[in-house]
Amino acid sequence: MIRFDSLSEARPDSIDKVTGRAVYATDLDIPGMLHGHVVRSTAVHARIRALDVGAARAAPGVVDVLCGADVASLGCWGLVLKDRPILALDKVRYVGEPIAVVIADSAEAAENAAELVEVDYAALPRVPDSKAALAPGAALVHESHSPLEDFYFRGGARPIDGTNVFHRFLSEVGDVAAAEAAAAHVHEDHFSFPPVFHYALEPHTAIADFREDGLTIWSGAQSPAGVQKVVSRLFGLPLAKVRIVVPYVGGGFGGKASVKIEPLVAAASWKVRRPVRIAQSLSDSMLTCRRLGARITIRTAVDREGLILAKSADIVLDGGAYADTGSAVATKAANRIIGPYVIPNLRLEARAVYTNTVPGAAFRSIGGPQAVWAAECHMDNVAAAIGLSPVEFRLRNLAARGQRIRPDLRPLDMDMGELMGLVRQAMGAASAATGPDARGLALAASDPGIVAIGNALVRLKIDGSVLVAMASVEIGQGVHATMARIAAETLNQPFGSVTVLPTDTGTAPFDWGTGASRSTVIVGASVEAAALDAATQMLDLAAEALAQDRTALALVPGGIATPQGFRSFHEVFHLAYGVDSGEVIGRGALNPRSRGGALREAPLFWETAAGMAEIDVDEDTGAIRLRRYASAADVGRVINRVSAEGQDEGASVQGLGHTLFEALEFEDGQPVNASPVDYNIPTLDDVPDDFHTILVEHHDGPGPGGAKGMGEGAILPIAPAIANALFARYGVRVNDLPLTPEKVWRALRARS
Amino acid sequence: MSAAEIDLRFTLNGREVQARVPSHTLLLDLVRERFGLKGSKRSCDMEVCGACTMMLDGNLVSSCTTLAADADGRAVVTVEGLTPAAGLSRVQEALVLHGAVQCGFCTPGFVVAITHLLQQHPNADDEQIRRHLRGNLCRCTGYVKILAAVRSLAGTEPGLQPLAHERT
């Protein structure tokens, strides 16, 4: 059993968390703080004919009510399209859209008064799902498109005027039609993936304090720099006057990435000029964002030897009422549907469309789960159609380390065959109860690590203690401990001597954000560079102060090793400055110009995953139980083994949820299960006893010590692996997630 | 309309406390807002997730759906009450060492529920562990390391033999 050897080696944040001392945004109390409650649309798509907040404004404890009219002059915001008002102005586009904020001296008073707000709606034609969005003559969720270029990501959305398509991505390599015409076999499948709720246990919560001299926001945000940029532009404030503070975050998974409720909370404080807190309920958060659902048509052409000649995919993503970062989700889905295979001809099209449902958002390996669900189920279907085993078919088509899967993507930096062998080995002999057949395999290669801009400061103090300032958010992944370990190793100081400052744009240098498996590589390399800079400065100072040859000196815990013995940092500073005081400040940065431009090519590294599942199926009920699971990832280098394993275990079990039962459902645009009672996630009971997490290290990644990013890949293979096990054992294929007992039972019955 | 106020006296983590609150006040709000003990977390509000788990007279309750009035004359224990003045309890230490903590929002509820489990079943087997903890949701860890931590405490970690005389 892998564990930390002692508390002094363990993650410091976990000690705060087990004692209940860890402070989250939901625990903060800012002096003078008022409480906001959001009034939400109950209409799917409607004009607001009238909004009456008079009774709410007069209710006990209410200070003010913020309405669309108050914020209309501030305009719209967005990350890839400027499509989103702070509060609904003239129309609402989904059930749950914020219409007003009641601001009161207690959360209870605000919530009670919110019930007094009266809205008169005039219904508009609905766009309930992605099929309706693309239908000829469909109603438009947004009448026009305002794309932003290079604002949040490089590039931007490519909307189609006069339609609900807010982004279309097309990648063509070779000639798919010619390859299909020459193929021995062409196989086509259709798959779907539902919207899924992130279900971070801490609901979205933010506090804003708008003052004459600037704006401070405390929020469980994954992308503090993104929040800072958006609110700075909305309110016309210099970036230096906007401070985003992120305490411990109670889970995010992409649901707190980019920008969510912060502009709304800031506007509430702007209106009343006092700190305002909005603490959403979990049900409110279910109406705030969710993963984009997908409909995917995928087609593969193979030759007589089972070599893939061509692949084409048509991916339609349901982006909900506002784009958020849905364009990137679509582009990534098209990239991630290729898989780790050599395919000479490709036609990959992805469209993200607006619908009158809860806005879509990034969610762990954006676009990946949807794409890999289709791609890897389809691989087994093709294998079966041409009479090859799933393993043999994959082996014949795997791309080798160093090969490109598409000309515009960096060559693969891992050996997928190695990962496939490792999961097979970990599974061991099949259980007697299920027989040898109920096993399924799936592979994935995804392209994370976006926006290679990171910065860090590392301060070496006179007593040997170390302060790290960087903006990666401690969201549970252990990034603060990882950065502490990198700084400690680089400076050769004990792990316990390093303190990582809480995330605060007022003290941390710029970083793009926490997501896309990028922190260990991009911010980690920045911390390493900053620590090296601090080490260099310290050794230079020591060489001068001690009149020693610089090359004869080395950092050791608490000081410098010299040919004449140990000299403490105190002694060095004292000699150099004439007083027992001082520190060195190391600065490290990574950007697309670093390392001779080597970081420019995308992806920065490949995130890989292989998964193998063994299942039990209750043939009378259709219920699937995961009996065993093994996942493997090439992570380059493990910095904190316990945490790294935990990332892949957590990702796999999240994937188990969307495999077996999770779906945020809408009926004609109306959410039907947006409550914790009706929407279930995996419990301890769903996790198999036999669970293997394999981390491969070849020390060949771009991060410290050869690390690559990780933490997202393991969510990818589990759904297709389980569906492939069902297919292998029973010959039935369920194309639409989740694999509910009813669907499985019906499929089994249709077979017999 | 102001709600009727009631006077409550109870023990909170072993200390006698009293409070006058509106009768509809929830135990979670009383403990978090009035007594400032913010270890217990609010998440689902519906007795689904276990993040607000406390012990009431030695039984587990979801404090988000328990009236503060129900605590009157009884003993309430929260994660703060299970934390030694210095260091960690053995449940807390096991969770830390096994890496069973990620975002930590569910963790205080797990600390309370695991402590209760081991009070009831010091050598809990997997069936008892699963039954006892299925009411506590964690979205980060996938539970694998939580299960390992609890097994280590119950002496049922693979490779370790449970002590027969401690079996209940």
Side-chain angles (χ1 to χ4, degrees), chain A residues 70-94:
Chain A
D70 297 317
V71 293
S73 63
L74 298 173
C76 287
W77 63 277
L79 288 313
V80 295
L81 291 132
K82 232 172 164 176
D83 61 356
R84 189 157 198 168
I86 293 173
L87 281 168
L89 301 173
D90 52 343
K91 78 170 192 170
V92 289
R93 296 181 171 90
Y94 70 97

Side-chain angles (χ1 to χ4, degrees), chain A residues 521-522 525-526 528 590-599 604 701-704:
Chain A
V521 170
I522 296 169
S526 304
E528 185 182 42
L590 202 73
N591 61 55
R593 300 161 64 94
S594 309
R595 303 185 191 173
L599 306 175
L604 205 46

Side-chain angles (χ1 to χ4, degrees), chain A residues 3-4 17-18 24 26-27 108 197-198 201 476 642 645-647 649-650 654 662 682 684-685 687 689, chain B residues 24 32 38 41 43 79 92 97-99 102-104 106 130 134 137 139-140 142-145 151 157:
Chain A
R3 41 172 269 176
F4 293 106
K17 289 166 179 175
V18 292
Y24 300 79
T26 37
D27 299 326
E108 189 182 350
F197 177 54
H198 304 77
L201 279 182
V642 180
E645 285 184 359
Q647 281 298 300
E649 289 160 3
Q654 263 179 14
E662 286 187 47
L684 191 60
D685 236 2
V687 178
D689 288 328
Chain B
H24 62 265
R32 278 179 61 88
K38 299 205 171 177
K41 301 303 181 197
S43 178
V79 67
Q92 292 168 328
L97 291 180
H98 283 83
Q102 288 190 25
C103 89
C106 71
R130 287 176 186 275
R134 69 167 62 125
L137 298 181
R139 189 59 151 170
C140 295
Y143 305 101
V144 178
K145 299 207 184 297
R151 281 173 174 165
E157 203 172 9

